[in-house]
């Protein structure tokens, strides 16, 4: 119905603030990201982690002339495949220094020959040549998916030299600190990458360097040397559908991008908007996606979309994780079955019984014992990553004072099971209660099928096979590209994910006829962002 930005990467930096909507919790996160303490920001896919980091970067530039914010995207981590045991650490280091050098050049700050020599282990004292060397190393790493590569990293500096160089650059240019914003911190199915990331995150700490990073819930491996409680400030993006400002907040987000026709239609039928907003369960991207896909702003279209999206599409994305990463397929498939065949029917039955008894109380919640089998916990963690469920308490007392975790199933997944979702939504929402909900003890019968599962992590050979399979997929699997974009790409001979990845921006501009350079660049950025998110899980 309308074209909407679904990703931060697709938005120009100068447009970020204009599309920004922040509430008190967001302001708290932004202040933490702008503070002198390192910060980790946790949130499921599409909740706005990258956007808040971008807003923080821009505000630092506007407000503090003695600070230098540097945004570093690690979304190409899925392509790294070399014979270097510390491949990810070295790639991150090269990419981080390259981003710093690029930002220094753009801001017109000088880099002395001494600082340049510290940033290069080959004793180069020219900042331009250092940047070119780093660019070359980064490119070789990011092309290594084509075949296991040997990369000479001898020119990369020692981490202590990097810190000394940054201190020198700050003193030379009257800067007090450099802020690094690390987006897509590491590949969620490659734990070793994540451990190396947190080693770098901790190694970089100095009076002149502040590190911030976006991470996912449930699937982050910190390693033995990193302690969340001691080494950073930890923030979560939590947008509870029961918050008093929830509807206004999400209305503002949608109205920042929707055209006047859609705005007026939702103003005239606010309850339809409210239903879609509640269904999204606090996820801006899901709400924007459903608004974009809505054929008309009327009850029939809203009901159809809710059923199609929350009964089908959202589950298909979760199942696709198992198809991409075979080492996790059993756990992923079991988790979906557990939710669809056990948890949700139990919640439905619970709600029906309460309704029959005349108790005005409904639930979208369930509780799992803290001592349930580890594979159950892993399956729930992966469901949290994809955003189908949300962990809203890890030490909640249930019946007989047992301790466990309370989860929330996405509102839309429960509401979509109704024959007329919109007609039921208002009363269902108003009767929601967290006081009572179905409970699954430590030996619940539904766990029988998962007890024997091993918690296999994806090894390099499995990962390489998975990556090869994904690169061969048609571009049709990139769900957030518009049909128009896909047709233009196909018309230019770009049929698979690998075709798209191998095309440079210049190639794309030349290949797509009737599309100017600016639009081609936006298409390339949007397509690359979607491609890299697809590869990362």
């Amino acid at each position: 119905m309308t074209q909407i930005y679904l990703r931060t990467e697709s938005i120009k930096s100068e447009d970020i603030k204009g599309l920004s909507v922040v509430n008190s919790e967001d302001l708290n996160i932004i202040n933490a990201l702008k503070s002198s303490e390192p910060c980790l920001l946790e949130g499921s896919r599409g909740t706005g982690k990258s956007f808040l980091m971008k807003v923080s970067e821009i505000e630092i530039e506007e407000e503090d002339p003695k600070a230098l914010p540097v945004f570093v995207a690690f979304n190409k981590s899925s392509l790294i495949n070399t014979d270097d045991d510390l491949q990810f650490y070295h790639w991150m280091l090269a990419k981080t220094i390259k981003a710093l050098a690029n930002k220094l050049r753009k801001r017109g700050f000088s880099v002395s020959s001494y600082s340049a020599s510290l940033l290069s282990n080959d004793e180069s004292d020219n900042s331009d040549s250092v940047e070119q060397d780093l660019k070359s190393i980064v490119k070789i790493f990011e092309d290594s998916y084509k075949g296991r590569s040997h990369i000479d990293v001898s020119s990369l500096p020692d981490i202590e030299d990097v810190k000394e160089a940054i201190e020198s650059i700050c003193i030379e240019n009257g800067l007090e600190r450099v802020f690094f914003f690390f987006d897509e911190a590491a590949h969620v199915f490659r734990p070793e990458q994540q451990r190396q990331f947190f080693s770098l995150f901790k190694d970089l700490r100095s009076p002149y360097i502040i590190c911030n990073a976006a991470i996912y819930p449930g699937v982050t491996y910190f390693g033995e040397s990193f302690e969340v409680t001691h080494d950073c400030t930890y923030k979560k993006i939590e947008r509870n559908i029961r918050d008093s400002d929830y509807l206004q907040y999400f209305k503002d987000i949608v109205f920042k991008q929707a055209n006047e026709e859609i705005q007026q239609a939702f103003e005239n039928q606010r309850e339809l908007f409210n239903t879609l907003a509640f269904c999204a369960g606090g996820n801006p991207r899901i709400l924007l996606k459903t608004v974009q896909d809505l054929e008309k702003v009327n009850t029939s279209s809203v009901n159809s979309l809710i059923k199609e999206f929350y009964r089908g599409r959202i589950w298909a994305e979760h199942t696709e994780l198992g198809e991409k990463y075979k080492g996790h397929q059993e756990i992923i498939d079991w988790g979906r079955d557990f939710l669809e065949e056990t948890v949700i029917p139990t919640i439905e039955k619970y709600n029906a019984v309460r309704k029959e008894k005349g108790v005005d109380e409904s639930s979208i919640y369930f509780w799992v014992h803290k001592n349930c089998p580890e594979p159950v916990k892993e399956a729930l963690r992966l469901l949290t990553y994809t955003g189908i469920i949300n962990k809203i308490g890890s030490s909640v007392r249930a019946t007989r004072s047992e301790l466990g975790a309370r989860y929330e199933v996405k509102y839309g997944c429960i509401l979509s099971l109704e024959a007329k979702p919109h007609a039921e939504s208002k009363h269902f929402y108003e009767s929601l209660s967290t006081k009572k909900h179905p409970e699954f003890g430590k030996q619940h019968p539904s766990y029988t099928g998962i007890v024997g599962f091993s918690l296999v992590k994806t090894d390099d050979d499995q990962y390489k096979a998975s990556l090869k399979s994904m690169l061969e997929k048609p571009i049709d699997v990139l769900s957030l590209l518009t049909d128009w974009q896909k047709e233009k790409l196909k018309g230019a001979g770009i049929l698979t994910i690998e075709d798209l990845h191998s095309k440079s921006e210049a190639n794309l501009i030349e290949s797509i006829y009737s599309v100017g350079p600016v639009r081609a660049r936006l298409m390339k950025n949007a397509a690359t962002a979607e491609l890299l998110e697809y590869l990362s899980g």
Side-chain angles (χ1 to χ4, degrees):
M1 175 177 272
T2 185
Q3 181 59 45
I4 287 174
Y5 291 119
L6 298 171
R7 274 200 186 78
T8 301
E9 298 92 330
S10 303
I11 306 172
K12 296 178 184 177
S13 293
E14 57 266 30
D15 295 333
I16 291 283
K17 291 289 289 282
L19 295 174
S20 175
V21 176
V22 294
N23 59 14
S24 58
E25 287 301 313
D26 292 338
L27 287 173
N28 183 274
I29 290 170
I30 290 169
N31 288 333
L33 291 168
K34 290 159 55 179
S35 77
S36 58
E37 290 296 316
C39 179
L40 291 182
L41 178 57
E42 178 192 288
S44 299
R45 293 170 64 173
T47 52
K49 302 182 298 298
S50 301
F51 196 92
L52 289 177
M53 290 209 302
K54 273 291 185 183
V55 170
S56 303
E57 177 197 18
I58 292 166
E59 289 191 359
I60 289 171
E61 286 198 326
E62 292 175 346
E63 299 166 2
D64 190 353
K66 293 188 176 182
L68 183 74
V70 181
F71 198 92
V72 190
F74 287 147
N75 52 7
K76 290 189 177 181
S77 64
S78 52
L79 303 172
I80 312 302
N81 182 46
T82 74
D83 57 6
D84 177 4
D85 289 339
L86 291 174
Q87 58 181 358
F88 192 61
Y89 189 100
H90 290 143
W91 171 72
M92 284 189 303
L93 184 60
K95 199 168 178 68
T96 299
I97 302 170
K98 175 177 170 287
L100 171 65
N102 186 45
K103 191 63 175 279
L104 288 166
R105 177 170 44 78
K106 285 183 177 179
R107 289 281 298 272
F109 290 121
S110 62
V111 179
S112 68
S113 57
Y114 171 71
S115 299
S117 67
L118 286 172
L119 292 175
S120 176
N121 207 30
D122 59 8
E123 299 184 353
S124 174
D125 60 2
N126 182 288
S127 60
D128 290 338
S129 63
V130 169
E131 191 173 351
Q132 285 300 316
D133 289 345
L134 292 167
K135 185 176 180 180
S136 174
I137 291 174
V138 168
K139 179 168 175 52
I140 295 171
F141 266 117
E142 292 172 2
D143 285 343
S144 63
Y145 73 93
K146 297 174 182 176
R148 200 168 183 86
S149 307
H150 172 73
I151 299 175
D152 182 6
V153 294
S154 60
S155 62
L156 284 178
D158 178 85
I159 192 69
E160 293 303 319
D161 286 342
V162 173
K163 289 156 70 173
E164 186 178 342
I166 291 175
E167 178 179 345
S168 175
I169 289 167
C170 285
I171 293 170
E172 291 162 3
N173 292 280
L175 296 170
E176 292 182 350
R177 61 181 64 91
V178 173
F179 287 83
F180 286 111
F181 291 90
F182 296 120
D183 198 20
E184 301 288 341
H187 196 286
V188 298
F189 288 110
R190 300 182 82 175
E192 184 54 36
Q193 280 195 353
Q194 296 189 40
R195 286 188 278 267
Q196 289 183 29
F197 168 76
F198 287 108
S199 291
L200 179 66
F201 189 94
K202 189 172 181 178
D203 290 347
L204 275 173
R205 188 161 192 179
S206 90
Y208 292 90
I209 302 171
I210 310 297
C211 292
N212 299 307
I215 62 172
Y216 291 108
V219 289
T220 299
Y221 300 85
F222 295 105
E224 295 179 1
S225 65
F226 190 87
E227 295 184 46
V228 173
T229 53
H230 298 291
D231 292 326
C232 69
T233 300
Y234 201 85
K235 293 290 183 181
K236 293 183 179 181
I237 295 182
E238 296 177 308
R239 299 189 177 95
N240 193 318
I241 63 174
R242 304 183 71 190
D243 289 342
S244 59
D245 67 342
Y246 180 88
L247 288 175
Q248 185 60 48
Y249 177 77
F250 278 91
K251 175 176 173 284
D252 291 343
I253 286 176
V254 171
F255 278 35
K256 285 274 187 175
Q257 296 200 48
N259 59 38
E260 289 185 13
E261 179 186 352
I262 293 170
Q263 290 183 35
Q264 190 59 52
F266 278 132
E267 285 286 14
N268 293 337
Q269 301 186 76
R270 283 296 298 275
E271 289 300 329
L272 286 176
F273 175 81
N274 294 350
T275 295
L276 289 174
F278 288 140
C279 283
N283 188 302
R285 185 188 293 172
I286 287 179
L287 178 58
L288 290 167
K289 176 65 173 168
T290 50
V291 167
Q292 179 177 272
D293 291 351
L294 194 61
E295 290 185 9
K296 293 181 180 178
V297 180
N298 60 31
T299 301
S300 176
S301 292
V302 167
N303 283 338
S304 295
L305 184 140
I306 289 172
K307 291 177 183 179
E308 187 269 335
F309 190 89
Y310 294 101
R311 288 184 187 179
R313 260 193 283 169
I314 199 168
W315 292 102
E317 288 182 13
H318 183 74
T319 297
E320 193 174 44
L321 283 179
E323 294 169 358
K324 292 176 184 177
Y325 305 105
K326 301 298 183 183
H328 299 260
Q329 187 162 18
E330 282 188 325
I331 297 285
I332 288 167
D333 289 347
W334 183 90
R336 175 175 177 173
D337 289 343
F338 178 59
L339 257 289
E340 281 195 301
E341 298 173 9
T342 303
V343 173
I344 291 177
T346 305
I347 291 174
E348 276 191 290
K349 185 178 179 181
Y350 172 88
N351 289 335
V353 169
R354 306 292 283 178
K355 194 172 183 179
E356 288 171 8
K357 291 181 177 180
V359 179
D360 196 19
E361 189 176 83
S362 59
S363 179
I364 55 174
Y365 310 100
F366 67 101
W367 177 93
V368 176
H369 198 285
K370 69 180 181 67
N371 292 330
C372 70
E374 283 302 316
V376 173
K377 296 177 184 177
E378 181 72 5
L380 294 174
R381 279 195 287 267
L382 291 168
L383 285 160
T384 303
Y385 163 62
T386 51
I388 291 174
I389 63 174
N390 179 34
K391 192 174 185 179
I392 58 173
S394 57
S395 299
V396 178
R397 291 203 180 274
T399 305
R400 296 183 295 277
S401 296
E402 298 280 357
L403 286 173
R406 182 192 291 145
Y407 294 88
E408 173 188 280
V409 180
K410 192 170 290 296
Y411 185 97
C413 292
I414 302 294
L415 191 71
S416 67
L417 302 175
E418 300 287 347
K420 297 179 179 179
H422 175 62
E424 299 291 333
S425 182
K426 191 172 189 295
H427 181 262
F428 182 73
Y429 170 78
E430 290 173 348
S431 64
L432 280 179
S433 172
T434 58
K435 292 179 181 178
K436 293 184 179 180
H437 37 66
E439 298 174 9
F440 297 87
K442 57 186 173 184
Q443 294 179 327
H444 193 273
S446 61
Y447 304 156
T448 305
I450 199 175
V451 171
F453 286 10
S454 59
L455 296 179
V456 178
K457 304 303 179 188
T458 307
D459 62 29
D460 282 345
D461 288 340
Q462 282 179 320
Y463 181 79
K464 189 174 179 181
S466 296
L467 182 61
K468 183 176 184 295
S469 173
M470 284 187 280
L471 289 167
E472 292 170 350
K473 297 270 188 183
I475 61 170
D476 297 285
V477 300
L478 304 179
S479 61
L480 294 187
L481 292 187
T482 66
D483 290 339
W484 182 87
Q485 288 172 325
K486 290 175 183 175
E487 288 307 310
K488 285 293 182 182
L489 290 169
K490 290 176 183 176
I494 299 170
L495 305 178
T496 68
I497 287 180
E498 186 162 19
D499 290 341
L500 176 57
H501 180 66
S502 64
K503 289 283 186 182
S504 68
E505 187 177 293
N507 293 149
L508 198 64
I509 291 170
E510 291 173 5
S511 302
I512 300 179
Y513 302 107
S514 76
V515 175
V518 174
R519 196 166 190 181
R521 178 169 298 170
L522 290 173
M523 278 182 61
K524 172 62 175 174
N525 290 344
T528 300
E530 166 72 352
L531 178 154
L532 293 171
E533 182 164 312
Y534 178 82
L535 295 179
S536 72

